[in-house]
Amino acid sequence: METVCQEYVKKRDWEDDPPEFHVIGNLPFNVSIPLLLQWLAMIPGRRGPFSFGRSILTLTFQREVAERIVAPPGHTQRSRLSVMTQNLCHVHWGFTIPGSVFTPAPKVDAVVLKLVPRLRPLVKVDHLTLERVVKALFTFRRKFIKRGASLLFPTDPHLLPLLFSLSGVPHTLRAQELTMEQVDQLSSTYLHLLDKHSSQYAISS
């Protein structure tokens, strides 16, 4: 696809406006999240549709999934998906599509979201590091983040207090309460601790 599109679509620098290449998809609900995560993983390396620049994604999701994607800090729907998507994209709620317009009609409504890649991610660490940190923090979403963060240091628990003292993020917050700035502080501190104290936590794909 990329080779064919190169003949018709002019590439743009990342700092420029989005290119004419535009991804539009009425996604099957059962694969919408895996597809979105695959596209997000392509953004940092500017691969796939993002090799042309900050290509816009206009996609349909089950309403519940769409609410998770756009959920702000403190919202009950805030999740790993919220953080990973908002870190890389400006997310705009388009409109709701009632399930009754589909045949056969699903029991849920759909929502169209517009995702525009950011010039720069909100979190400074690499994508895999952020993914690991966010996964740990949201594993025990009803508990304080100290519980989930402990999964980041399975053999060196003494590093856990350092994560919070150096980042300045209170360990008594819950994952859904974290702002993107606090996620950035935790992720950057985590990476610093890995570099300083041990190589055994090296992140592999």
Side-chain angles (χ1 to χ4, degrees), residues 66-79 82-83 86:
E67 290 174 346
R68 288 166 55 195
I69 292 172
V70 305
H75 195 281
T76 55
Q77 292 278 39
R78 186 73 166 176
S79 66
S82 317
V83 176
Q86 294 172 27

Side-chain angles (χ1 to χ4, degrees), residues 112-162:
V112 175
L113 296 182
K114 178 182 177 182
L115 284 71
V116 183
R118 296 181 183 275
L119 288 173
R120 285 167 293 279
L122 296 177
V123 179
K124 301 179 186 66
V125 303
D126 64 274
H127 190 73
L128 287 177
T129 299
L130 176 62
E131 200 168 41
R132 183 172 184 174
V133 171
V134 172
K135 180 179 180 180
L137 294 175
F138 278 92
T139 295
F140 303 99
R141 57 180 298 117
R142 296 183 181 277
K143 297 184 179 296
F144 295 145
I145 55 173
K146 182 179 180 179
R147 179 66 182 88
S150 66
L151 300 176
L152 297 171
F153 307 105
T155 60
D156 282 335
H158 70 279
L159 296 180
L160 185 60
L162 287 175

